Amino acid sequence: MAGAARGNDAKTARSHPTRPRKPNISDVAQHAGVSYQTVSRVLNNAPDVSAATRERVQQIIKDMGYRRSRAATALSTSRSTAIGILTDGSPRFGPVGTLMALEKVARQKGYFTTVVTVEEPYKDSIPEALATLDEIEVDGIIVIAPLLSMAAAVREATIQVPVEMIAAGASSTPNVFTYSENQELGARMATQHLVDLGHTDIAHLAGSMDWFDGRVRKRGWESALRDSGLPQGLCLEGDWSPGWAHATGHRLVSEKKVPQAVFAASDHTALGLIRAFAECGIRVPEDVSIVGFDDVEGSDFFLPPLTTVRQDFGALAHASIEVLLGAIEGREVDRPPSEPTLVVRASAIPARPGRP
């Protein structure tokens, strides 16, 4: 089984600037007036293609001089093939956990992975990164896209192979399909847990609204409050970090705006908030209940152990790769968003009667 090959960065796209681009499966599909799935079926001798279409596609393949990549050939010979992974190199828990899980699952299935990291400005780095992956003839690409600006650049790029984008709550487009965990459900679960404990003043320390994750987690908090007939509590947008949450916690105390309960958009946000409250003599959970999101390693050793929402990166990776391979092989794969789990620990308890 093959190990993982890793690209360095988008600069490698310039290594052969004058080399003419070889025709690929999308070029064949465009000239034949069919989908790339149909071309894939012809190449794999699948039975569900009409004789006329098969003959037309085979003639165009011959006329264009199209040659299957080593990766594509591997699909029909059971040898390893290659999947490209595009990431922005974010050190945050979600993108890192997703990348590690994707590489592991791909390796288990016998696939090479080539990882290319992009950076701002995405309008420049993403086309170059896609050219890099095209040069090494990957059969499909998974984009880990936490940021709205990154996703926009991917959708605007010219893409020659099936592309799947992991972006929470984002919609598919004709050239880029999406998959994600149902993070909005996770946020609803976290907020509903606080509601079920009797809390009526539930604030949200949100992640960045430049992130899909931040937006859907806020949306889940809002919908849970609305469906419970509760008013929307205080919402403050941050950067996911414990440092921001720590400073914000001190500000809430100084301004006398400490809520009954808080849904924190990440466990690191919860950590900074708990520290700030402890320094100000406010006890968690006796005075304020807190629920986080992510279930980072060590969250069960917070003081108190953190109630949180656990993301299943393994399930996310398995489903994502199955969906991509279905597109590569010309078959439809329907996978509902993977679901998170509420992990109940000690940082949230029933509301105290008479608590303002």
Side-chain angles (χ1 to χ4, degrees):
M1 182 161 50
R6 185 179 294 272
N8 291 325
D9 55 34
K11 292 179 181 177
T12 55
R14 301 192 182 97
S15 57
H16 301 288
T18 60
R19 178 184 295 182
R21 184 174 69 80
K22 295 176 289 186
N24 56 48
I25 192 170
S26 294
D27 296 328
V28 174
Q30 182 178 0
H31 279 75
V34 298
S35 67
Y36 61 76
Q37 290 97 332
T38 298
V39 178
S40 180
R41 292 188 188 104
V42 172
L43 291 167
N44 289 316
N45 294 315
D48 52 342
V49 180
S50 70
T53 298
R54 186 183 303 276
E55 183 177 351
R56 184 170 76 256
V57 170
Q58 289 174 336
Q59 185 60 49
I60 289 173
I61 288 172
K62 180 179 179 181
D63 293 343
M64 294 183 68
Y66 169 71
R67 294 173 58 188
R68 298 190 73 185
S69 69
R70 289 168 297 180
T73 303
L75 282 172
S76 59
T77 60
S78 299
R79 296 193 301 271
S80 294
T81 186
I83 294 172
I85 301 177
L86 209 63
T87 174
D88 72 339
S90 169
R92 299 297 180 195
F93 180 75
V96 170
T98 301
L99 173 60
M100 293 176 64
L102 285 171
E103 289 190 297
K104 180 179 179 180
V105 172
R107 187 168 61 252
Q108 289 172 345
K109 290 180 175 291
Y111 289 85
F112 289 100
T113 55
T114 296
V115 180
V116 179
T117 301
V118 295
E119 59 186 6
E120 290 279 19
Y122 293 128
K123 64 181 180 63
D124 297 327
S125 65
I126 283 178
E128 291 180 352
L130 291 170
T132 297
L133 293 173
D134 184 45
E135 177 71 21
I136 61 177
E137 299 181 329
V138 299
D139 264 9
I141 299 170
I142 295 179
V143 181
I144 303 171
L147 290 161
L148 276 71
S149 57
M150 181 178 175
V154 170
R155 288 178 171 135
E156 292 172 1
T158 300
I159 301 169
Q160 307 297 336
V161 295
V163 173
E164 176 182 15
M165 189 160 59
I166 297 178
S171 300
S172 297
T173 60
N175 64 325
V176 178
F177 55 96
T178 61
Y179 186 80
S180 68
E181 184 173 64
N182 194 340
Q183 294 189 35
E184 182 172 345
L185 172 64
R188 285 182 59 91
M189 294 164 63
T191 307
Q192 189 61 49
H193 179 65
L194 293 169
V195 172
D196 292 343
L197 290 172
H199 297 287
T200 57
D201 175 20
I202 303 172
H204 180 39
L205 261 62
S208 169
M209 294 300 109
D210 292 334
W211 285 52
F212 288 104
D213 309 61
R215 293 188 172 208
V216 296
R217 295 179 194 184
K218 180 184 178 185
R219 193 158 64 226
W221 166 75
E222 290 172 336
S223 63
L225 293 178
R226 183 175 59 251
D227 292 349
S228 299
L230 294 175
Q232 182 174 315
L234 177 69
C235 180
L236 299 172
E237 178 184 348
D239 62 0
W240 309 100
S241 73
W244 171 81
H246 180 263
T248 300
H250 276 281
R251 180 159 62 88
L252 291 174
V253 173
S254 67
E255 295 176 357
K256 302 187 185 308
K257 293 182 179 179
V258 177
Q260 285 182 329
V262 178
F263 164 46
S266 73
D267 290 352
H268 287 139
T269 300
L271 176 62
L273 185 63
I274 291 171
R275 169 70 180 270
F277 284 167
E279 292 170 348
C280 296
I282 294 175
R283 301 167 300 169
V284 176
E286 292 84 358
D287 300 322
V288 181
S289 286
I290 296 177
V291 177
F293 199 111
D294 284 334
D295 194 29
V296 300
E297 182 179 4
S299 59
D300 50 338
F301 285 93
F302 285 17
L303 190 62
L306 186 65
T307 294
T308 187
V309 175
R310 176 181 297 158
Q311 299 190 75
D312 189 341
F313 292 117
L316 173 67
H318 274 283
S320 298
I321 288 180
E322 283 299 320
V323 170
L324 181 68
L325 295 182
I328 292 171
E329 296 169 10
R331 55 185 173 84
E332 290 188 8
V333 177
D334 185 18
R335 289 285 188 276
S338 58
E339 294 190 1
T341 305
L342 180 69
V343 181
V344 178
R345 297 192 180 110
S347 63
I349 60 174
R352 290 187 303 161
R355 167 72 161 81

